[in-house]
Amino acid sequence: MRVLVVTAVPVERDAVTRAFGGAEEHVALPGAELHRRGAFDMLAGGAGPAAAAAATAFALASGTPASGASASAPYGLVVSAGIGGAFTPVTPLGSLVVADGIVAADLGAETADGFLPVTALGFGRDRFTPPPALVREVAAATGAAAGPVLTVSTVTGSAERAGALLAAHPGALAEAMEGFGVAEAAARADVPVLEVRAVSNAVGPRDRDAWRIGDALAALTDAFGKAAPVLQGWNSHEDLEG
């Protein structure tokens, strides 16, 4: 099975790519480039849910499988990956998170009574659920915590906002900017999705001196090295809950 891994920026893509051995092939797409190693294609799709959705949709539709693979269905799984902020101390810096729910945390409307998610407005959806068995297997292989990961268009920068997000989404472990966009594109192509994040900073007041980006990128490489057999060998037909 082929796996498409979508990150925001090249440094995240390269961290994932380092997890896999073998020769690397670059495949040009309009506005992007796939980095291919074995069964895994890595794509830096851009920051934010819109860029992530567009890049993922284009890669899924463009039919760029390895030689001999089916052009009509080159991927059996899409993974949104990268670093992100976490609601510590539940998920400390340098740790890993695998999403059991990919949630659009700020897609909706502000009202006099507070925020209404897009679903309360009668439109679309605000959550995707990755295949539960796959979440469990990846968490077990990597030592990651499993829980909701929030997708936001504006990174949280205050304790007040962090508290509001946790109040609206109890149990959330982390926030990032691309997961929901990747999931939206994958769902429209009828391809299962997963999100894996390595924690680089705490959600809340921005203290760049406390960020551990290098450690998070190293954890991302380690995670995909451990998870590769699970991801490549996973069969969606075995997880009817997903």
Side-chain angles (χ1 to χ4, degrees), residues 10 50 66 124 138 150 162:
V138 171
L150 309 183

Side-chain angles (χ1 to χ4, degrees), residues 34-238:
L34 290 174
H35 287 206
R36 173 172 294 155
R37 285 195 179 181
F40 293 87
D41 284 358
M42 280 62 68
L43 172 66
T56 303
F58 197 92
L60 289 171
S62 60
T64 55
S67 176
S70 169
S72 63
Y75 301 111
L77 178 67
V78 178
V79 184
S80 176
I83 63 177
F87 295 96
T88 56
V90 178
T91 40
L93 303 189
S95 65
L96 294 167
V97 174
V98 57
D100 65 8
I102 301 172
V103 183
D106 56 6
L107 181 62
E110 290 289 346
T111 74
D113 297 320
F115 178 76
L116 286 179
V118 67
T119 51
L121 302 174
F123 303 112
R125 62 190 300 175
D126 62 359
R127 183 185 184 100
F128 289 94
T129 301
L134 180 60
V135 171
R136 292 191 295 269
E137 291 180 27
V138 171
T142 62
V149 175
L150 309 183
T151 298
V152 294
S153 294
T154 301
V155 173
T156 300
S158 69
E160 180 182 17
R161 176 59 176 160
L165 285 173
L166 272 178
H169 306 283
L173 296 183
E175 74 167 23
M177 299 181 72
E178 293 78 35
F180 192 83
V182 173
E184 187 75 73
R188 294 185 182 219
D190 198 27
V191 179
V193 69
L194 188 71
E195 183 170 10
V196 177
R197 294 285 166 182
V199 178
S200 59
N201 58 279
V203 175
R206 292 171 64 79
D207 179 7
R208 295 183 67 92
D209 291 337
W211 292 3
R212 289 171 52 185
I213 292 177
D215 290 345
L217 291 171
L220 196 65
T221 302
D222 183 65
F224 274 86
K226 293 175 178 176
V230 175
L231 298 176
Q232 187 177 358
W234 178 72
N235 184 342
S236 62
H237 297 295
E238 296 175 358

